[in-house]
Amino acid sequence: MPEQKPKSDHWLRHRLHEIIFEADTPAGKLFDVILIISIVTSVIVVMLDSVVDLNLRYGQLFFVLEWFFTLIFTVEYVLRLSCIGRPSKYARSFYGVVDLLSILPSYVSLLLSAGKFFLVIRILRLLRVFRVLKLVQYVGESNYLQRALWASRRKIAVFLLSVFLMMIIFGSMMYIIEGAENGFTSIPRSIYWAVVTMTTVGYGDISPQTSLGQAIASLVMILGYGIIAIPTGIVTAELTFKPNISTQSCPECSSEGHDMNAKHCKFCGADLHPDKI
Amino acid sequence: MPEQKPKSDHWLRHRLHEIIFEADTPAGKLFDVILIISIVTSVIVVMLDSVVDLNLRYGQLFFVLEWFFTLIFTVEYVLRLSCIGRPSKYARSFYGVVDLLSILPSYVSLLLSAGKFFLVIRILRLLRVFRVLKLVQYVGESNYLQRALWASRRKIAVFLLSVFLMMIIFGSMMYIIEGAENGFTSIPRSIYWAVVTMTTVGYGDISPQTSLGQAIASLVMILGYGIIAIPTGIVTAELTFKPNISTQSCPECSSEGHDMNAKHCKFCGADLHPDKI
Amino acid sequence: MPEQKPKSDHWLRHRLHEIIFEADTPAGKLFDVILIISIVTSVIVVMLDSVVDLNLRYGQLFFVLEWFFTLIFTVEYVLRLSCIGRPSKYARSFYGVVDLLSILPSYVSLLLSAGKFFLVIRILRLLRVFRVLKLVQYVGESNYLQRALWASRRKIAVFLLSVFLMMIIFGSMMYIIEGAENGFTSIPRSIYWAVVTMTTVGYGDISPQTSLGQAIASLVMILGYGIIAIPTGIVTAELTFKPNISTQSCPECSSEGHDMNAKHCKFCGADLHPDKI
Amino acid sequence: MPEQKPKSDHWLRHRLHEIIFEADTPAGKLFDVILIISIVTSVIVVMLDSVVDLNLRYGQLFFVLEWFFTLIFTVEYVLRLSCIGRPSKYARSFYGVVDLLSILPSYVSLLLSAGKFFLVIRILRLLRVFRVLKLVQYVGESNYLQRALWASRRKIAVFLLSVFLMMIIFGSMMYIIEGAENGFTSIPRSIYWAVVTMTTVGYGDISPQTSLGQAIASLVMILGYGIIAIPTGIVTAELTFKPNISTQSCPECSSEGHDMNAKHCKFCGADLHPDKI
């Protein structure tokens, strides 16, 4: 195993780690860009391969490309394991599992004749694209959104719970009112209808036929239409809220409204924290 | 009846009340958690029982589980009545009625062969889940949303009334333009179409066929699409609004609406806090 | 004509005017409530009459009710004209025309065998419901929304114009790509599809069949889905904006941030407008 | 070529430039209004010409109008080229290309029997309508929206990237779960379904049939329904943001981000306005 090699390998491993896991050196950026292109291309190959026409015509080419990318990702996986301090920890991490799952299906398909179920695993690899976002300034923006969503998680949970309960109640009501003869064949299917209607998706594969059913469906639609204002309001309120005003007043002129990061009073210039040195 | 028992029962009733109606003791929390799990499981059983395939295969099991949960909820209902001060008041309250309705159908079904119509009653029991929200910090958030909705109730009422009137007007117009031959068989059904379209649900079970009908439908869609901005704006404005208006009235001229940081009445100049020196 | 009667009629006309046109006396409120109930009921009768089944069964009853309400509205129309100062002005106002149109169809139907086209006119009468909103505090809220919409009318016009142009461009593109064989039989119909898709209504009566068409449709959907953020943002920004802070500073203590309606400085109590007497 | 004519033409060219390219003189406004009406009318003619019925009946008239507008736009194009300083630069600009493309198809159609593909080009001409917006105050509003969208471009990019990844992942999952027999014939088509569902458009041309598929579809719908709050929140936060941060930097420590009302640097306490006494 690479991680038990002698100390003379230390420099190589450190350099590899820098290239593979960090993105602030030119080599690291290049590695990330090549990897992203490989991931996107391999995903497109998998997608196109699923189209019957294209599979019949270019199946051979797709097969070759598939193995080309599998070999690239295999090398990448081995390099990652070899240059990291604790390979077993990485192997069990989310990205370690995704990395393994993105190459395993190809090898397994040599033994089995499966295929179909392993497509998703390759797709999961796309999640790695998000790591690239760390590269540039996107990280600040991404954190900003995550913070806003995280800060409003309880309000969103209450909202989702209310919506779920309404969907169950309205779905069950429609099952009783419309019945199996109008497509509402079971309560779970009726709840599926309620989800389709309340989120304003409206496939139309199941739609109410009785007058009472249509009246309640109208109510469900208006509810779903209006209720979207609530999560929007929550997230907006969180994003517009700027809590950077300190509650401290100036010890000299007693003025208030100083920023969190202020050291001196913006009105008289006195030290706001005289006891700190 | 338990509530007419001698005073020596007082402690037991008090302890039961604490467990059943309060959620801040370990026993009370445990009781609530067990109840929630029972409610959710019993609702899932009712749902699955409505699927024809599963009913044929596991009908026997569902029947046993049904009665198991009915007995649990019966015991809970009796205990609630026995440990509360005024059982008749609880029995007529919303949750008291829901509690009764969640067990009644099973007993009634022993006498009758009904069933279908009583499912909703059991579902209503799910509303009790919301009581659990009181447990933790969710209550603050829930109140926060309720306050915002309540504060904007008039604006929302005006908005809903306008939307209803538009739906009636456009529905009637489409009934006249499209007519029964294109699926707009009556004004109520045409209004149902207007609801489906304006809320952007769009089942497609009824859709305009004439050019004029499609032109008006386009207008209805764009109206419905753009108008959602209004309730969203109302709720957001309410959620972001941070009241800096004091509730104090002027001791001289009784005027209200003074800022939090005001020292003098902005109308007559009187000192707002004469006792403070 | 009533408006040319002698002076002794003055009191009666004044009293009638108070009852019919004002809503702040008990009699005026009662008149408004009765009128609203009549309007709503007459509209419901017209609606139900359009349902074939109900028309066959209760057609006779609906006919009687129809004439009952027509007579009520006729009396109301005559009274309005007789007690107002300038009847000809009222007769040509929006509500005057609506009032006339709500009774005319019934009389015309005595001569003609029309019917269908006059339903809308009766429906228009429903607009009168909004006058009732003036009754209570709803007016303030309604004005508040109208002001916000009016203030953002230019931004909304720019937004709508952009959306229209996108709909025309994408609709024309889809007409060329999909063609008549996939339901996109003409450019206006393809634009109708673009409206249905961009507003996220999605009937499914016309949907793209080719790969390129589905790709462009996906783009249109994501555009329509994301773009709704813009009017919502505009209205919300307008509703949250509270421009009631005067730019004037106190002549005594030079403090700022006084409300628009403030007469005295809220900090020192000095007169903010000493030159006004 | 007009641009190599002697100096005596200078005045004419200057005047023409004023009329054609500027909109603040009466003649310029008139020119713009006539042009807009011509564009809109010519687009409507193209649209109506695509309707089979109308083409059969009024094809002759449409043909004449088509050539009438083509000649108008040809004259306009030649005038634009002749009065501008650097005609080659204009010819290669966006509007120059649009201008050329809006007349070229008609002339090409004299040689070829094409037609269909050139409709879009004429439609592109509609984009010129936006130039008219510069006329009045619309420009300020339009810029305001553009600035808000531009300022939040990174957040919107992160949001769109997340949505795309979710669509790919859910689309691929549905391809595996539902399979070709339920309409999910390939991964690209399944991703198209995910777009239709997540944007809440919901055509219903492809809809899940299995229980697991409907469960995942419900999740996708609720995600798409709730997630719209994020771009709305971003745009609203950007539109409501009122910058009260001064652009002045501290003369002592060069720090930035001082409030509008700050007199002293909040970091080092130095006087921010030393020249003011």
Side-chain angles (χ1 to χ4, degrees), chain A residues 16 20-21 31 74-84:
Chain A
L16 261 177
I20 297 175
F21 285 95
F31 178 83
T74 307
V75 170
E76 181 222 345
Y77 184 60
V78 170
L79 284 177
R80 269 181 203 278
L81 282 183
S82 65
C83 73
I84 206 164

Side-chain angles (χ1 to χ4, degrees), chain D residues 22 36 45 60 75 91 93 110 153 188 209 265:
Chain D
E22 283 158 48
I36 292 163
V45 167
Q60 207 73 359
V75 170
S93 73
L110 284 183
R153 68 191 179 286
Q209 304 300 324
C265 171

